[in-house]
Each structure stands twice: as structure tokens, then as C-alpha cells.
Short mmCIF file of all heavy atoms in Angstrom, two decimals:
data_model
loop_
_atom_site.label_atom_id
_atom_site.label_comp_id
_atom_site.label_asym_id
_atom_site.label_seq_id
_atom_site.Cartn_x
_atom_site.Cartn_y
_atom_site.Cartn_z
N ASN L 10 0.84 -1.20 0.00
CA ASN L 10 0.00 0.00 0.00
C ASN L 10 0.88 1.26 0.00
O ASN L 10 2.06 1.20 0.30
CB ASN L 10 -0.91 0.01 1.22
CG ASN L 10 -1.87 -1.16 1.24
OD1 ASN L 10 -2.33 -1.62 0.19
ND2 ASN L 10 -2.19 -1.65 2.43
N SER L 11 0.25 2.37 -0.32
CA SER L 11 0.95 3.67 -0.30
C SER L 11 2.28 3.60 -1.05
O SER L 11 3.32 4.03 -0.54
CB SER L 11 1.18 4.10 1.15
OG SER L 11 -0.03 4.16 1.88
N LEU L 12 2.22 3.09 -2.25
CA LEU L 12 3.43 2.90 -3.03
C LEU L 12 4.13 4.21 -3.33
O LEU L 12 3.48 5.23 -3.60
CB LEU L 12 3.12 2.16 -4.32
CG LEU L 12 3.05 0.63 -4.18
CD1 LEU L 12 2.26 0.00 -5.30
CD2 LEU L 12 4.46 0.06 -4.13
N LYS L 13 5.45 4.16 -3.31
CA LYS L 13 6.30 5.32 -3.60
C LYS L 13 7.18 5.00 -4.81
O LYS L 13 7.46 3.84 -5.08
CB LYS L 13 7.18 5.62 -2.40
CG LYS L 13 6.45 5.82 -1.09
CD LYS L 13 7.43 6.00 0.06
CE LYS L 13 6.71 6.18 1.39
NZ LYS L 13 7.67 6.35 2.52
N PRO L 14 7.63 6.02 -5.51
CA PRO L 14 8.53 5.76 -6.65
C PRO L 14 9.75 4.93 -6.26
O PRO L 14 10.22 4.11 -7.06
CB PRO L 14 8.92 7.16 -7.11
CG PRO L 14 7.75 8.01 -6.74
CD PRO L 14 7.26 7.43 -5.43
N GLU L 15 10.24 5.10 -5.04
CA GLU L 15 11.42 4.35 -4.61
C GLU L 15 11.12 2.88 -4.33
O GLU L 15 12.03 2.10 -4.06
CB GLU L 15 12.06 4.98 -3.37
CG GLU L 15 11.11 5.24 -2.22
CD GLU L 15 10.59 6.67 -2.22
OE1 GLU L 15 10.26 7.21 -3.30
OE2 GLU L 15 10.49 7.25 -1.11
N ASP L 16 9.85 2.48 -4.41
CA ASP L 16 9.50 1.06 -4.31
C ASP L 16 9.66 0.34 -5.65
O ASP L 16 9.52 -0.88 -5.71
CB ASP L 16 8.06 0.90 -3.83
CG ASP L 16 7.85 1.39 -2.41
OD1 ASP L 16 8.72 1.13 -1.55
OD2 ASP L 16 6.82 2.05 -2.16
N THR L 17 9.94 1.10 -6.69
CA THR L 17 10.13 0.50 -8.00
C THR L 17 11.30 -0.47 -7.98
O THR L 17 12.41 -0.11 -7.57
CB THR L 17 10.40 1.59 -9.06
OG1 THR L 17 9.22 2.39 -9.20
CG2 THR L 17 10.75 0.97 -10.41
N ALA L 18 11.04 -1.70 -8.38
CA ALA L 18 12.07 -2.75 -8.33
C ALA L 18 11.49 -4.03 -8.90
O ALA L 18 10.28 -4.14 -9.12
CB ALA L 18 12.53 -2.99 -6.89
N VAL L 19 12.37 -4.99 -9.10
CA VAL L 19 11.93 -6.35 -9.35
C VAL L 19 11.78 -7.03 -7.99
O VAL L 19 12.72 -7.01 -7.18
CB VAL L 19 12.92 -7.13 -10.24
CG1 VAL L 19 12.45 -8.57 -10.43
CG2 VAL L 19 13.09 -6.44 -11.58
N TYR L 20 10.64 -7.59 -7.75
CA TYR L 20 10.35 -8.25 -6.48
C TYR L 20 10.48 -9.76 -6.66
O TYR L 20 9.85 -10.35 -7.54
CB TYR L 20 8.95 -7.88 -5.98
CG TYR L 20 8.89 -6.48 -5.42
CD1 TYR L 20 9.03 -5.37 -6.24
CD2 TYR L 20 8.73 -6.26 -4.05
CE1 TYR L 20 9.01 -4.08 -5.73
CE2 TYR L 20 8.70 -4.98 -3.52
CZ TYR L 20 8.84 -3.90 -4.37
OH TYR L 20 8.82 -2.63 -3.84
N TYR L 21 11.30 -10.36 -5.80
CA TYR L 21 11.59 -11.78 -5.87
C TYR L 21 11.01 -12.51 -4.66
O TYR L 21 11.20 -12.08 -3.52
CB TYR L 21 13.10 -12.03 -5.90
CG TYR L 21 13.79 -11.50 -7.12
CD1 TYR L 21 14.35 -10.23 -7.13
CD2 TYR L 21 13.91 -12.28 -8.27
CE1 TYR L 21 15.00 -9.73 -8.26
CE2 TYR L 21 14.56 -11.80 -9.40
CZ TYR L 21 15.10 -10.53 -9.38
OH TYR L 21 15.75 -10.05 -10.50
N CYS L 22 10.33 -13.58 -4.95
CA CYS L 22 9.88 -14.48 -3.89
C CYS L 22 11.03 -15.40 -3.50
O CYS L 22 11.82 -15.83 -4.37
CB CYS L 22 8.71 -15.29 -4.39
SG CYS L 22 8.04 -16.49 -3.21
N MET L 23 11.15 -15.71 -2.23
CA MET L 23 12.17 -16.63 -1.77
C MET L 23 11.55 -17.64 -0.80
O MET L 23 10.52 -17.37 -0.18
CB MET L 23 13.34 -15.92 -1.10
CG MET L 23 13.00 -15.12 0.15
SD MET L 23 12.75 -16.09 1.68
CE MET L 23 14.39 -16.72 1.96
N SER L 24 12.20 -18.78 -0.71
CA SER L 24 11.82 -19.75 0.32
C SER L 24 13.09 -20.39 0.85
O SER L 24 14.12 -20.44 0.17
CB SER L 24 10.87 -20.81 -0.22
OG SER L 24 11.52 -21.62 -1.18
N GLN L 25 13.00 -20.86 2.07
CA GLN L 25 14.14 -21.49 2.72
C GLN L 25 13.73 -22.84 3.28
O GLN L 25 12.66 -22.97 3.88
CB GLN L 25 14.66 -20.60 3.85
CG GLN L 25 15.85 -21.20 4.60
CD GLN L 25 16.38 -20.24 5.65
OE1 GLN L 25 16.59 -19.06 5.38
NE2 GLN L 25 16.59 -20.75 6.85
N THR L 26 14.61 -23.83 3.07
CA THR L 26 14.40 -25.15 3.66
C THR L 26 15.63 -25.51 4.47
O THR L 26 16.73 -25.00 4.20
CB THR L 26 14.15 -26.21 2.57
OG1 THR L 26 15.31 -26.30 1.72
CG2 THR L 26 12.93 -25.87 1.73
N PRO L 27 15.48 -26.38 5.46
CA PRO L 27 16.63 -26.76 6.28
C PRO L 27 17.70 -27.46 5.45
O PRO L 27 17.39 -28.15 4.48
CB PRO L 27 16.01 -27.72 7.31
CG PRO L 27 14.57 -27.36 7.36
CD PRO L 27 14.23 -26.93 5.96
N PRO L 28 19.01 -27.29 5.79
CA PRO L 28 19.47 -26.44 6.89
C PRO L 28 19.42 -24.95 6.57
O PRO L 28 19.19 -24.14 7.46
CB PRO L 28 20.91 -26.91 7.13
CG PRO L 28 21.35 -27.43 5.80
CD PRO L 28 20.14 -28.04 5.17
N ALA L 29 19.67 -24.58 5.34
CA ALA L 29 19.63 -23.15 4.97
C ALA L 29 19.67 -23.00 3.46
O ALA L 29 20.35 -22.13 2.93
CB ALA L 29 20.77 -22.38 5.62
N TYR L 30 18.91 -23.85 2.77
CA TYR L 30 18.86 -23.75 1.31
C TYR L 30 17.87 -22.66 0.93
O TYR L 30 16.75 -22.61 1.45
CB TYR L 30 18.44 -25.08 0.69
CG TYR L 30 19.42 -26.20 0.95
CD1 TYR L 30 19.06 -27.29 1.73
CD2 TYR L 30 20.69 -26.16 0.41
CE1 TYR L 30 19.94 -28.32 1.97
CE2 TYR L 30 21.59 -27.20 0.65
CZ TYR L 30 21.21 -28.27 1.43
OH TYR L 30 22.09 -29.28 1.67
N ILE L 31 18.26 -21.79 0.02
CA ILE L 31 17.44 -20.67 -0.42
C ILE L 31 17.04 -20.88 -1.88
O ILE L 31 17.89 -21.24 -2.70
CB ILE L 31 18.19 -19.33 -0.30
CG1 ILE L 31 18.67 -19.11 1.14
CG2 ILE L 31 17.30 -18.18 -0.75
CD1 ILE L 31 17.56 -18.93 2.14
N TYR L 32 15.78 -20.66 -2.16
CA TYR L 32 15.26 -20.77 -3.51
C TYR L 32 14.66 -19.43 -3.91
O TYR L 32 14.10 -18.71 -3.07
CB TYR L 32 14.20 -21.87 -3.59
CG TYR L 32 14.71 -23.23 -3.17
CD1 TYR L 32 14.67 -23.62 -1.84
CD2 TYR L 32 15.25 -24.10 -4.11
CE1 TYR L 32 15.15 -24.86 -1.44
CE2 TYR L 32 15.72 -25.35 -3.73
CZ TYR L 32 15.68 -25.71 -2.40
OH TYR L 32 16.16 -26.94 -2.01
N TRP L 33 14.75 -19.12 -5.19
CA TRP L 33 14.26 -17.84 -5.71
C TRP L 33 13.30 -18.04 -6.87
O TRP L 33 13.46 -18.97 -7.66
CB TRP L 33 15.43 -16.99 -6.20
CG TRP L 33 16.41 -16.61 -5.14
CD1 TRP L 33 17.60 -17.22 -4.86
CD2 TRP L 33 16.28 -15.53 -4.20
NE1 TRP L 33 18.22 -16.58 -3.80
CE2 TRP L 33 17.44 -15.54 -3.39
CE3 TRP L 33 15.30 -14.56 -3.97
CZ2 TRP L 33 17.63 -14.62 -2.36
CZ3 TRP L 33 15.51 -13.65 -2.95
CH2 TRP L 33 16.66 -13.68 -2.16
N GLY L 34 12.32 -17.15 -6.94
CA GLY L 34 11.47 -17.08 -8.11
C GLY L 34 12.14 -16.25 -9.19
O GLY L 34 13.25 -15.75 -9.02
N GLN L 35 11.44 -16.09 -10.29
CA GLN L 35 12.01 -15.38 -11.44
C GLN L 35 11.87 -13.87 -11.31
O GLN L 35 12.52 -13.12 -12.05
CB GLN L 35 11.37 -15.86 -12.74
CG GLN L 35 10.02 -15.24 -13.07
CD GLN L 35 8.88 -15.74 -12.21
OE1 GLN L 35 9.03 -16.67 -11.41
NE2 GLN L 35 7.70 -15.15 -12.40
N GLY L 36 11.04 -13.43 -10.39
CA GLY L 36 10.86 -12.00 -10.16
C GLY L 36 9.66 -11.43 -10.90
O GLY L 36 9.26 -11.93 -11.95
N THR L 37 9.09 -10.40 -10.30
CA THR L 37 7.98 -9.68 -10.94
C THR L 37 8.25 -8.18 -10.79
O THR L 37 8.63 -7.71 -9.72
CB THR L 37 6.63 -10.08 -10.32
OG1 THR L 37 5.56 -9.44 -11.04
CG2 THR L 37 6.52 -9.72 -8.85
#
């Protein structure tokens, strides 16, 4: 909400599984 010009970016989803594996989406 209340978006600002400085919020402009590619937004990436991430998930973590044990012990510390990180996965990324392609971005929106």
C-alpha cells in the first residue's frame, strides 16, 4: 500500500528449507 517511486524494483519471492537452502522465483 501507499506505493512510492522508490519502491520501483523487481520483487523476488524466496523460500528457505533446512538447513539453509534458499530458492528464488524469477521475479515480478
Side-chain angles (χ1 to χ4, degrees):
N10 298 327
S11 304
L12 277 158
K13 305 175 181 180
E15 52 264 41
D16 294 319
T17 294
V19 177
Y20 284 69
Y21 295 93
C22 179
M23 62 77 67
S24 66
Q25 179 176 313
T26 61
Y30 297 114
I31 303 294
Y32 301 89
W33 297 98
Q35 81 286 354
T37 185

